[in-house]
């Protein structure tokens, strides 16, 4: 089994907590006989810090809220079959092919599903939408949700939660928020930060 992993890795400024989440998820998957594909902003950076691991470029959402909302709408059109909604060289077409080769997607934890980091929230939703369009299940682990959310971002988060097979949140506020946003979801649970599982050495 091959699982694509979204973690906030390969950033121009190294963030030890986010990178630790990526390391922990990779090791937990490997220990279960699962082959991780690390989705990253910079494949070379990830090879430098992770060693020999499968890695590919993840989706990058626009920085400004109106731009990323417009891009989300365009990607929805592409996934609905209207391939001319975006230029032929747009990243989403390459990314669709990347996810064809995996069995599932794991959205690793952190504090990036909120409006101050809205582009990261949208990157996760976009990844989930591509996975779902291909019939690949997705799970969310070790996240903090919000607490600061615009109406649009709250809707985006609710959509992300509603379609995920499992949502594990790392503190009580996030569990409560998730259950408000996706009240019919059967598998919203409390858990630990993903990096808590990482053992050095």
């Amino acid at each position: 089994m091959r699982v694509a992993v979204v973690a906030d890795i390969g950033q121009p400024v190294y963030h030890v907590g986010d990178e630790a989440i990526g390391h922990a998820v990779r090791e937990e998957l490997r220990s279960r006989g699962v082959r991780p594909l690390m989705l990253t902003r910079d494949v070379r950076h990830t090879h430098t810090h992770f060693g020999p691991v499968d890695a590919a470029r993840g989706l990058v959402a626009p920085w400004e809220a109106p731009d990323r909302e417009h891009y989300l709408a365009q990607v929805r059109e592409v996934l609905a079959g209207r391939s001319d909604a975006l230029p032929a060289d747009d990243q989403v077409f390459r990314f669709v092919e990347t996810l064809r080769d995996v069995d599932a997607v794991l959205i690793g934890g952190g504090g990036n599903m909120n409006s101050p980091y809205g582009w990261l929230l949208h990157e996760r939703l976009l990844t989930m939408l591509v996975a779902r369009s291909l019939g690949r299940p997705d799970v969310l682990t070790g996240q903090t949700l919000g607490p600061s959310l615009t109406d649009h971002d709250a809707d985006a988060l609710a959509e992300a939660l509603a379609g995920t097979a499992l949502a594990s949140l790392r503190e009580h506020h996030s569990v409560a928020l998730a259950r408000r946003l996706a009240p019919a979801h059967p598998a919203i649970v409390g858990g630990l930060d993903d990096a808590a599982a990482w053992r050095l050495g």
Side-chain angles (χ1 to χ4, degrees):
M1 185 177 189
R2 194 169 189 234
V3 173
V5 176
V6 177
D8 199 13
I9 59 175
Q11 292 280 15
V13 177
Y14 187 87
H15 188 292
V16 66
D18 289 330
E19 296 279 338
I21 286 168
H23 282 283
V25 170
R26 177 194 63 171
E27 293 308 312
E28 286 296 312
L29 290 174
R30 283 179 167 176
S31 73
R32 291 162 170 77
V34 176
R35 293 182 297 139
L37 172 67
M38 306 304 294
L39 300 177
T40 175
R41 270 179 161 68
D42 185 329
V43 171
R44 180 177 296 179
H45 179 282
T46 295
H47 284 154
T48 296
H49 292 283
F50 280 71
V53 65
D54 287 346
R57 285 271 297 173
L59 287 177
V60 177
W63 182 275
E64 297 292 339
D67 295 334
R68 61 180 176 258
E69 291 165 18
H70 180 60
Y71 186 64
L72 175 61
Q74 292 175 304
V75 169
R76 289 187 195 279
E77 291 190 45
V78 168
L79 297 179
R82 295 182 289 278
S83 59
D84 60 348
L86 283 166
D89 61 352
D90 187 84
Q91 62 175 346
V92 74
F93 297 105
R94 168 196 52 77
F95 190 71
V96 167
E97 296 310 309
T98 295
L99 291 198
R100 284 192 200 281
D101 292 332
V102 305
D103 300 291
V105 172
L106 186 152
I107 308 293
N112 41 47
M113 297 185 81
N114 56 55
S115 292
Y117 297 101
W119 65 96
L120 297 178
L121 166 60
H122 278 72
E123 286 168 13
R124 280 142 185 79
L125 175 58
L126 287 164
T127 299
M128 291 165 142
L129 292 178
V130 172
R132 293 167 192 174
S133 77
L134 296 170
R136 308 300 191 262
D138 59 80
V139 300
L140 177 68
T141 66
Q143 270 287 350
T144 290
L145 305 180
S148 177
L149 290 165
T150 64
D151 289 344
H152 176 88
D153 289 347
D155 290 342
L157 180 55
E159 182 176 8
L161 289 167
T164 197
L166 168 72
S168 173
L169 295 317
R170 64 184 182 180
E171 33 70 32
H172 297 301
H173 169 85
S174 293
V175 173
L177 175 58
R179 289 176 176 164
R180 287 199 303 273
L181 291 173
H185 199 292
I188 292 173
V189 299
L192 297 176
D193 186 294
D194 292 327
W198 189 29
R199 300 290 182 264
L200 294 172

